[in-house]
Amino acid sequence: MNSTADIHFNSDGVPVSNQFDDIYFSVDSGIDESRYVFLQHNGLPEAFAKLPQHYEYVVTETGFGTGLNFLLCWQAFVQHAPASCRLVFVSFEKFPLSRAQLQQAYQALPQLQPLCEQLLAAYPSPEPGCHRLFLADGRVTLDLWCGDIEDQLPQFIEQARGQVDRWFLDGFAPAKNPQMWQPFLFEAMAASAHQHTRYATFTAAGVVKRGLQAAGF
């Protein structure tokens, strides 16, 4: 059985990790922050609008959490990408939230209610391994990897070498979650990247900068 998230909800209805002593998103500006850090700084949705027909766009994320980054990426893709294109969003989560926890968290995100309802309807039990969800009438695929990212990345890279268009480096901060921010992650990013791959992250920690540089970014 996989470990699930140990959380509580603060007075604003926002989930807080007891394992990492950190909030999942800000109730006042969580959506704006996510769009600014992960979409805007990855050149999205502009890149979606310029995709060639039938392109399969791959985004890989560390730290699924409540799925907020995924929901916003999905929303932008459907709004801006050609109808023939598909989004494949790959996300890793060591401590997945339960469906009930997600449902409570989404009460703080009414702007995204239709997408939240679709995701909740398809959300799997948090068993270890990769769970593939088909959403938005097949235009959006979510591969949710539950378990330790260090164990699962090699399996993912086998099938994704040179295929990832964007990386979202999320998850809790390096000071609180040092096990994830290790050379294996940056090396996997490099192995999965192509010439035009970009990444964005909320952290400016030196260990992350040095790790990315050492991997060739």
Side-chain angles (χ1 to χ4, degrees):
M1 180 66 66
N2 195 43
S3 298
T4 53
D6 177 14
I7 68 171
H8 69 274
F9 288 84
N10 66 17
S11 59
D12 293 318
V14 172
V16 181
S17 171
N18 296 324
Q19 285 141 317
F20 298 102
D21 188 28
D22 205 354
I23 61 172
Y24 280 81
F25 57 82
S26 164
V27 69
D28 294 323
S29 56
I31 288 177
D32 290 339
E33 288 175 355
S34 183
R35 282 190 176 127
Y36 176 75
V37 173
F38 294 105
L39 298 187
Q40 181 177 329
H41 282 274
N42 261 315
L44 308 175
E46 293 81 6
F48 293 155
K50 298 176 181 178
L51 290 178
Q53 295 294 323
H54 305 291
Y55 191 89
E56 187 173 274
Y57 199 91
V58 181
V59 176
T60 302
E61 173 187 54
T62 59
F64 184 74
T66 62
L68 177 57
N69 295 336
F70 165 63
L71 294 168
L72 294 174
C73 189
W74 166 8
Q75 182 184 59
F77 184 84
V78 170
Q79 289 175 349
H80 296 279
S84 66
C85 295
R86 293 181 60 247
L87 172 67
V88 178
F89 196 99
V90 182
S91 191
F92 295 86
E93 179 56 62
K94 186 173 183 178
F95 301 109
L97 275 70
S98 68
R99 182 183 285 107
Q101 289 171 328
L102 271 187
Q103 191 166 21
Q104 185 171 350
Y106 289 162
Q107 294 177 19
L109 300 171
Q111 310 93 313
L112 299 173
Q113 182 181 0
L115 301 188
C116 292
E117 290 176 353
Q118 278 195 60
L119 178 56
L120 283 170
Y123 193 72
S125 61
E127 302 294 334
C130 180
H131 305 268
R132 175 161 287 181
L133 285 61
F134 297 100
L135 302 158
D137 297 322
R139 286 193 68 192
V140 175
T141 300
L142 170 63
D143 282 355
L144 179 58
W145 291 75
C146 296
D148 194 316
I149 188 172
E150 185 172 7
D151 298 332
Q152 295 174 330
L153 267 179
Q155 183 180 349
F156 167 69
I157 294 302
E158 282 183 13
Q159 57 191 337
R161 194 169 296 275
Q163 299 298 311
V164 175
D165 296 285
R166 295 292 188 273
W167 273 87
F168 291 4
L169 290 181
D170 203 358
F172 295 106
K176 297 187 177 185
N177 185 23
Q179 293 84 1
M180 189 190 79
W181 302 92
Q182 296 293 328
F184 73 82
L185 170 59
F186 309 122
E187 291 163 4
M189 289 175 63
S192 71
H194 55 72
Q195 183 179 358
H196 302 292
T197 299
R198 291 171 56 172
Y199 68 86
T201 181
F202 67 92
T203 179
V207 64
V208 177
K209 292 179 180 179
R210 292 189 295 272
L212 287 164
Q213 290 168 351
F217 287 95

